[in-house]
Amino acid sequence: MRRCAWPLLRLPARGGLVLRHGGAATTRLRPAAAASSSFSVNGDGSSRAPDTSLFVPVPLKHVGDGADEDVGAELTRPLDKGEVLKNLNKFYKRKEIQRLGAENGLDARLFHQAFVSFRKYIMESSSVSADLHIILNDICCGHVDDLFPFFLRHAKQIFPMLDCMDDLRKISDLRLPPNWYPDARAIQRKIIFHAGPTNSGKTYHAIQRFLSAKSGIYCGPLKLLAHEIFQKSNDANVPCDLVTGEERVYASEDARQAPHIACTIEMCSINTPYEVAVIDEIQMIRDPARGWAWTRALLGLCAEEIHVCGEAAAVDLVTELMFTTGEEVEVRNYERLTPLTVLDYALESLDNLRPGDCIVCFSKNDIYSVSRQIEARGLECAVIYGSLPPGTKLEQAKKFNDPNDPCKILVATDAIGMGLNLCIRRIIFNSIVKPTVNEKGEKEIDSITTSQALQIAGRAGRYGSSFKQGEVTTMHHEDLRQLKEILSDSVRPVKAAGLHPTPEQIEMFAYHLPDATLSNLIDIFVSLSQVDGLYFVCNIDDFKFIADMIQHIPLNLRSRYVFCTAPLNRKEPFVCTMLLKFARQFSRNEPLTFDWLCRHTKWPLDAPKNIKELVHLEAVHDVFDLYLWLSYRFMDMFPDAALVRDIQKKLDDIIQVGVCNITKLIRASQSAAVPGTAEVVSEDFPLSRTKRDTGVVSVHHGAKSTEALSIAVEAPGERRAKNLKAYQSATRQEDLKSHGRGSLANRLLREGLLTQEMLRQLESEWQDQHRNGRYGLGSKRDDHNSSKQMGRKKK
């Protein structure tokens, strides 16, 4: 862990901070209110009690019949185990003993666990230490309190953290993050905040300063953004390297490091001095999973000028953070360069689409169904969603932007919110409900936030495109009013910045707790960590998921930590399996060669014939990404990065072919009823059906019914409740109309247990039987008559 004794520079207390706006007049901003955090010190400044449920006892071996004789028995007499058990139970019940335990860090839970282990150790061991043996014989006279030192010694053996709690608290003290970066504190940095909405030119101005500097670093949230700056810089004859988690591309042929670097934010160097640094999308400092990377860059970059770009909602937090480092913030505000209009009417039907329209969906199911319905109308559409490889996204964007290409419609997820330059005239929200993950790692379904809505809507009418103004609306009329409310709300201020345990901190924890698993170490760290109101500890569920998955594989702590920070979509079983194979092969010290990888991914692969195969190809692409990410950190064990990069490009081309033919794949999936493929809604379904069922229910797989969905959705406010009522009402009406095309039918179709032909046949039979009265009183009479006939035959 890199800490320093550098005194934290704090300015004198004052009512506000002096800020320069655009280098002109000064304004005073009062520091933002501190955000609350679940991991904080108590109000009186004392640290709160640790969560002892995370303390896993270390198993101790019982003393068996060994070569050593029982010295205690020779000195006194053999133990009467029945009498010993009575005295141990007396010891446990004494209030004075429980109080002594609490004073030594044993709360009720730990005290009970320690006692059970202590009792088991004594009762099941054939011999104990001589001093304990003598005490156990002596307490037959009633001095059970004399057992406490032996009990406490045993408790500290099974709970080693009790002996080093103060050290653990110091290691996990996260209250002064600025002190972790002594190189940055050694210089006086100039912080310039470019604040404005999407399409306001804020990043453009920061990049111009980046290009004019002698040296610089650009830190972006996506590989696509880093690649774009890499291209622009080199096109402007400013040598610039590209650094992502998977690779480093040098501007010069002789692989000399260029003075400028464009990188993903996690890869920025905090030890290299630069003249200018650009931190893009600063509002992501509040991201529950990745926020730590923005905090690290903001506090740790060694640059004379730090240009921060993002929403104005983050100005107060950045100002407050820089106040703790003694650095002033100059705020430059920008307005949107082209007008954006919220239309007074919804699209209602795909027949009303125009060139330049982009339909935004929040699930793959909606992407598949909407794109098929568009092409069924004789229109061509491009498709972009998050799990597509970057190359495929760029090709689809290029296809949509090309004025000579017949493709004039785009169907996309919120992946278009950043990283792609698109010529969009009108944004159409297919739904305004989106699944999210909160700070505790829990899944929620809620209306999109104002920040998300503005980020997506702002893609319409991009400055410099063929459309001089942007428009935004919804697919369904009932969503339009709510969208207007969302867009008219002010963006919630960013309250806190994310933090994450460093490898050094975890190593120090492991030194004190050598028998704990990595997942347990992280849990204890977070439990003991102390942060002030400006920070929060990022969600570590993905880290723990991998830690638990590879726990049985013998790896040193550093290597295990690196594997646990690997980018992994844990919803993809194939990718998880491959990571497990990587770790197992790595632990045997056997290099993961190109041939080994091809064998386990069954490369070469054919073009997809249905959606399931397309999804698998995307997973294989993720596996290649994972290999390249690990090769950047373990070059000797993952030696064939260049070969893997080549086949990844070929795989990207194959996926592009699949995406271009996505409606054919959907049709093939539906007709073949392939198990495990995504639900696809047929063309004759009303569009509201597509939205309601796939846009809301399919993204909440845990909801078995509308009732379960209501539990997940109802809590945070009237907007959510309003959505739920509309959804329940529409679902009831449509299910009554559809006679079996409800959730059960869809689930059976999705699982491959029912085909469309079988469904039509079942509907036809049901209608015939209903007309003939076979499901009513008539059926009872028929059953009664048939039973009488059977009775006569028996007689």
Side-chain angles (χ1 to χ4, degrees), residues 76-112:
T76 55
R77 64 179 186 276
L79 291 174
D80 181 349
K81 291 292 178 82
E83 194 64 30
V84 168
L85 181 59
K86 287 181 186 177
N87 286 310
L88 287 173
N89 289 335
K90 276 185 195 174
F91 171 83
Y92 175 71
K93 291 176 183 176
R94 280 181 61 77
K95 296 294 183 186
E96 291 82 357
I97 296 299
Q98 293 174 13
R99 180 179 54 78
L100 279 172
E103 289 175 2
N104 285 274
L106 293 170
D107 63 7
R109 182 198 301 271
L110 293 186
F111 183 83
H112 177 74

Side-chain angles (χ1 to χ4, degrees), residues 691-703:
K691 176 218 173 190
R692 296 299 182 187
D693 283 357
T694 60
V696 178
V697 177
S698 64
V699 297
H700 191 84
H701 297 295

Side-chain angles (χ1 to χ4, degrees), residues 245-246 623-632 641 644-645 648:
E246 294 79 27
V623 170
F624 291 165
D625 259 348
L626 190 58
Y627 182 98
L628 294 171
W629 190 90
L630 290 165
S631 73
Y632 196 76
V644 173
R645 200 166 282 114
Q648 190 182 42

Side-chain angles (χ1 to χ4, degrees), residues 140-191:
C140 294
C141 306
H143 304 294
V144 291
D145 292 359
D146 294 342
L147 272 177
F148 185 77
F150 300 95
F151 166 73
L152 186 60
R153 182 175 67 189
H154 182 89
K156 289 182 177 180
Q157 284 178 316
I158 66 169
F159 294 116
M161 61 284 295
L162 293 175
D163 244 351
C164 54
M165 192 61 70
D166 288 343
D167 291 336
L168 296 180
R169 287 189 188 279
K170 287 176 184 175
I171 296 167
S172 57
D173 188 347
L174 307 179
R175 284 177 292 182
L176 295 175
N179 280 8
W180 304 351
Y181 309 103
D183 293 344
R185 300 293 76 78
I187 61 175
Q188 186 66 27
R189 306 179 306 168
K190 182 180 180 182
I191 314 297

Side-chain angles (χ1 to χ4, degrees), residues 547-588:
D548 289 332
M549 186 171 68
I550 65 173
Q551 180 55 43
H552 65 286
I553 299 173
L555 295 168
N556 65 56
L557 185 66
R558 271 276 173 173
S559 300
R560 191 180 297 278
Y561 183 94
V562 171
F563 269 90
C564 290
T565 55
L568 179 80
N569 181 1
R570 54 180 175 164
K571 295 177 185 176
E572 288 290 347
F574 180 72
V575 183
C576 295
T577 302
M578 288 303 299
L579 178 64
L580 202 57
K581 290 180 179 179
F582 285 173
R584 194 174 290 121
Q585 185 83 348
F586 183 93
S587 71
R588 299 186 191 118

